[in-house]
Amino acid sequence: MLSKAQISLITSLQHKKFRTQHQLFVVEGIKSVMEFVGSSYKIQKIWATADAAAKLGKIPQNIKLEEVTVAEFGKISSLKNPQGALATVEMPAEDDLDPAILANKHSLILDDVQDPGNLGTIIRTAEWFGIEHLICSQGTVDAYNPKVVQATMGSLSRIKIHYLDIESFLEENQLPTFGALLDGDSIYETDFGKQGLIIMGNEGNGIRKNLIPKIQKKVTIPRVGAAESLNVAVATTIFCSELTRQKLR
């Protein structure tokens, strides 16, 4: 049976303040929970209804699984249509990003991306295209926000997320830098080489002005129609697709 204290803890993790305080976040859904079970993340505990528990598959003995009723599960789920499985997961320790691990590959930098759905989609897209590292400004939405976690469909368990002062990071960076800007050269005429950083900006304001001087190559997705701009998650997907096309040609 779920105690009031457990319900209070789990529901509090909807808020960044309490995720930071407890160093925990919530993963919901059978597939997503199992993705984290098979990852390097440490699962604190899993709560599941009888039906969901039967679908979870084999859970390692060191992970606690508590069966709850459908009514109890409804008190801790944040989803409109709960799947009956929820895990509390320990947030990974924040360590300094060694620039050397970014050599000979492309990585994404997100400058104040604020919509949880966009970040979740970008994380999922990054995994699809083999991007290993996602570097986020301090103003970017928390990757452990439940809406972000849900949107990643488990990809968060395999992508390395780094939050840091990206202005300082870019000042010390030695890799080529590419920025998604409206006044850049066509993405289809840009040689991205074998390594570099791809900078994507905020949904409404784009890349901050103070970062633009640190961009070596401005790149744009050619516009044919009359739309004012592209959704940042869609634009990131197009950039990742072009990077992959160039690698495979």
Side-chain angles (χ1 to χ4, degrees):
M1 177 180 290
L2 273 169
S3 68
K4 289 184 179 179
Q6 289 174 320
I7 293 171
S8 178
L9 170 63
I10 295 168
T11 55
S12 76
L13 299 178
Q14 299 293 318
H15 306 284
K16 184 176 180 179
K17 171 185 175 181
F18 296 106
R19 290 195 296 273
T20 302
Q21 178 182 326
H22 297 289
Q23 288 297 291
L24 292 171
F25 66 99
V26 170
V27 176
E28 275 206 67
I30 295 169
K31 179 182 182 298
S32 292
V33 167
M34 291 309 296
E35 295 277 12
F36 277 89
V37 166
S39 75
S40 60
Y41 280 80
K42 185 174 181 180
I43 310 294
Q44 185 207 47
K45 194 170 184 179
I46 297 173
W47 285 267
T49 62
D51 286 346
K55 298 175 183 177
L56 281 174
K58 188 174 182 180
I59 303 294
Q61 291 185 344
N62 63 317
I63 297 177
K64 295 179 181 178
L65 171 62
E66 182 173 331
E67 195 169 301
V68 297
T69 66
V70 173
E72 286 178 320
F73 192 84
K75 295 178 181 179
I76 59 175
S77 175
S78 64
L79 302 181
K80 290 183 179 179
N81 298 301
Q83 293 185 24
L86 179 152
T88 47
V89 183
E90 293 186 9
M91 293 170 62
E94 294 185 12
D95 48 6
D96 293 332
L97 174 60
D98 181 358
I101 67 175
L102 304 179
N104 302 312
K105 65 186 69 172
H106 290 94
S107 303
L108 293 172
I109 292 183
L110 302 184
D111 182 29
D112 290 2
V113 170
Q114 310 224 313
D115 182 81
N118 282 338
L119 179 56
T121 299
I122 289 170
I123 292 171
R124 191 176 177 188
T125 297
E127 187 190 14
W128 177 270
F129 287 104
I131 302 290
E132 300 173 16
H133 295 273
L134 195 59
I135 302 163
C136 301
S137 68
Q138 300 291 0
T140 294
V141 63
D142 180 18
Y144 303 106
N145 177 306
K147 292 182 180 178
V148 176
V149 177
Q150 193 67 25
T152 71
M153 297 293 289
S155 290
L156 178 61
S157 66
R158 293 176 292 273
I159 296 291
K160 300 294 184 183
I161 312 289
H162 312 274
Y163 281 85
L164 43 77
D165 181 337
I166 58 176
E167 184 174 4
S168 298
F169 176 75
L170 289 173
E171 287 176 354
E172 300 171 0
N173 164 65
Q174 301 297 317
L175 294 171
T177 52
F178 304 85
L181 295 160
L182 291 175
D183 60 345
D185 294 330
S186 169
I187 187 174
Y188 305 116
E189 297 173 0
T190 299
D191 183 358
F192 288 96
K194 301 297 182 183
Q195 60 182 356
L197 304 173
I198 314 299
I199 307 171
M200 310 299 297
N202 171 269
E203 289 90 343
N205 302 314
I207 297 171
R208 282 176 288 163
K209 291 182 179 179
N210 60 318
L211 297 180
I212 292 177
K214 299 173 176 59
I215 294 171
Q216 296 170 1
K217 184 71 174 177
K218 298 178 181 180
V219 184
T220 193
I221 299 167
R223 177 173 57 185
V224 177
E228 182 180 340
S229 63
L230 275 176
N231 171 277
V232 65
V234 173
T236 303
T237 300
I238 294 172
F239 269 80
C240 289
S241 178
E242 178 60 17
L243 286 172
T244 300
R245 187 191 70 80
Q246 292 190 17
K247 289 177 182 176
L248 297 178
R249 67 185 176 187

